[in-house]
Amino acid sequence: MDVETGTSSGPELLLELDRDARRGLRAQLEDGLREAVRSGRLAAHLRLPATRALASDLGVSRRLVVDAYGQLLAEGYLVARHGAGTFVADAAGTSAAAAAEPRPSVPRFDFFPGFPDLANFPRQAWLRALRATLRDAPDRAFGYPDPRGALELRRAIAEHLRRVRGVVADPETIVVCSGAAQGFFLLARALDGGRIAVEDPGLPPHRAILAAQGARLVPLPVDERGARVDDLAALAAAEGPIDAVLVTPAHQSPTGVALAPPRRAALLAWAGENEGLVIEDDYDAEYRYDRAPLAAMQGLAADRVVYMGTVSKTLAPALRLGWLVLPARLVDRVVSEKLLADHGCATIEQLALAHLIAGGAYDRHLRQARRRYRARRDALVEAVARHLPGARVTGVAAGLHAIVRLGQAVDGMRLMQAAGRRSVGVYPLGYAYMDVRPVDDGLVLGYANLAEPAIEEGIRRLGRALEDL
Ligand SMILES: Cc1ncc(COP(=O)(O)O)c(C=O)c1O
């Protein structure tokens, strides 16, 4: 391939080569160029230095630069224009190339538990919804948003939640927020330093949000039947009165168990007797593969339960859209916190989501996604049986992640590193406890963002990584 870049030498380029490194100079040069394109230091359409000039700047042979340019041309990072030189590819070409290239910091087989299938975002349906919104929205939609959320979206959510989750939902008691994350932020502020019992293990970032807003957190242990609700009385005796209990009843995060019906009843009884609040994080209840899911607890005690939902598992975390269905007495407090936080969520995306839900595309997407994730969960269970002797998948067949019990405790950090060297991302369960357990036998593995062959290969490599230890 001719990659001569013309007579002018082009821009200065800061690239450092380490002559003592084990990695060869050509590989270092290629890495440096790729990194510069990805990070935007080399902007799209920029002309690269002539090979001769760069070779002389770097003190390497021209052949080496020609080969490195040739490799990046083949990968799509660069484009050659005959007689004009070599240029950085435009953004589309760059991102396609970057996506195809495994980055050292993002493992190729990443079992990160927080993702739905990012490649399966309903781009066309979303585009249609956005287009319809921009065409039909009245001018006033472009003013400051309603801090409670766009009425169209609150209506669509209320109808959807009544139908699929048995939630007692009225658009007047719904507050749209920037994902569950902001829901926790708003609730902690509205509870004003209240004591909140949180499932342990749970999700550390959510605990951090609650604590940062002044909530006093009390660990509520979890066993195979979900949160140990009967412990609440003893916890209150030891720590002081508990104002709220945060649970993930449909699919405990992260252990994957479902809250047993007697415990659901006991939790609602606790709330009634103690004027307490239950925060029901229903983050992935759309996905149950072996039977119909139980309806949300909120439907049984709408005055005691805050119901929390999100599109992070159904559509994409990037949308940052979620909702709280609140007991009526909490609505004003939460809305004033929302106003103080950000004046309300972006209206156009809310209207597009309302369009997606009300027009049926949301349900269609969920039906298709459910089939896809069920197959991926099956693939995980099979791969574990094949490649990890002594290990098993625990928790109910639901959601987008599962717990794998390895059958022996391992040092989670060392396992992460060993797996990382084989380009596999795994997430030790021990780090989800309030009192971290560096040595534990559990892994939290998300399977939704990996196709079946990648799940199989990732688990095979995990088996090797365990042998490395
Ligand atoms: C337990 C739990 N709740 C809620 C969410 C969604 O959070 P958000 O809506 O802020 O993306 C997640 C996402 O991973 C989760 O694991």
Side-chain angles (χ1 to χ4, degrees), residues 114 178-181 203 206 248 253 281 283 310 312-313 320:
S178 287
L203 205 63
H206 289 172
T248 45
S253 167
D281 178 2
Y283 67 109
T310 174
S312 289
K313 308 288 184 190
R320 305 314 301 136

Side-chain angles (χ1 to χ4, degrees), residues 112-425:
F112 178 67
F115 285 157
D117 183 355
L118 301 179
N120 193 39
F121 181 78
R123 292 182 192 231
Q124 290 307 323
W126 186 252
L127 204 56
R128 278 193 294 276
L130 268 179
R131 194 172 282 135
T133 299
L134 289 172
R135 190 187 57 218
D136 301 337
D139 292 345
R140 66 174 162 70
F142 294 88
Y144 281 102
D146 183 332
R148 294 170 297 176
L151 180 58
E152 293 85 339
L153 179 57
R154 287 183 284 126
R155 281 190 182 135
I157 289 169
E159 190 281 325
H160 178 79
L161 293 179
R162 277 197 296 268
R163 184 162 46 80
V164 302
R165 299 295 298 131
V167 170
V168 177
D170 172 347
E172 293 306 308
T173 62
I174 292 180
V175 174
V176 177
C177 45
S178 287
Q182 194 187 38
F184 289 121
F185 174 96
L186 299 173
L187 285 173
R189 294 187 73 88
L191 291 174
D192 197 14
R195 191 173 282 111
I196 305 181
V198 293
E199 292 171 329
D200 189 30
L203 205 63
H206 289 172
R207 288 200 300 260
I209 291 172
L210 293 169
Q213 299 313 313
R216 289 165 293 166
L217 303 184
V218 180
L220 179 62
V222 173
D223 62 23
E224 65 286 352
R225 300 171 68 227
R228 283 186 11 200
V229 172
D230 290 349
D231 291 5
L232 282 172
L235 283 175
E239 307 276 344
I242 290 170
D243 301 294
V245 180
L246 165 59
V247 282
T248 45
H251 188 226
Q252 203 273 329
S253 167
T255 64
V257 299
L259 188 61
R263 290 196 181 173
R264 290 161 60 105
L267 182 55
L268 293 179
W270 168 86
E273 286 155 17
N274 296 276
E275 300 198 358
L277 197 66
V278 174
I279 303 171
E280 178 174 25
D281 178 2
D282 210 32
Y283 67 109
D284 68 358
E286 290 82 1
Y287 305 112
R288 177 90 197 216
Y289 310 120
D290 54 343
R291 42 164 283 181
L294 287 182
M297 290 174 62
Q298 191 270 3
L300 299 172
D303 60 334
R304 286 279 148 224
V305 180
V306 174
Y307 176 90
M308 191 182 256
T310 174
V311 300
S312 289
K313 308 288 184 190
T314 55
L315 293 172
L319 292 178
R320 305 314 301 136
L321 281 172
W323 43 84
L324 300 171
V325 184
L326 294 157
R329 67 180 181 289
L330 274 180
V331 173
D332 286 349
R333 257 147 71 196
V334 171
V335 172
S336 50
E337 293 298 342
K338 175 69 180 161
L339 251 178
L340 286 171
D342 61 9
H343 280 245
C345 289
T347 304
I348 303 307
E349 281 78 1
Q350 291 188 65
L351 294 178
L353 179 59
H355 193 277
L356 208 69
I357 297 174
Y362 189 70
D363 279 351
R364 281 195 295 282
H365 174 71
L366 278 177
R367 270 196 295 278
Q368 181 252 37
R370 208 173 283 128
R371 281 197 298 277
R372 177 177 288 245
Y373 297 145
R374 162 185 236 147
R376 292 182 178 188
R377 187 176 188 282
D378 289 347
L380 178 73
V381 173
E382 281 167 28
V384 166
R386 193 170 309 128
H387 300 297
L388 303 181
R392 68 201 162 88
V393 175
T394 63
V396 295
L400 308 183
H401 74 272
I403 296 287
V404 172
R405 294 280 178 188
L406 295 172
Q408 58 176 29
V410 295
D411 181 319
M413 204 51 81
R414 285 186 56 215
L415 178 58
M416 273 181 96
Q417 286 162 352
R421 283 193 289 275
R422 295 177 177 276
S423 213
V424 179

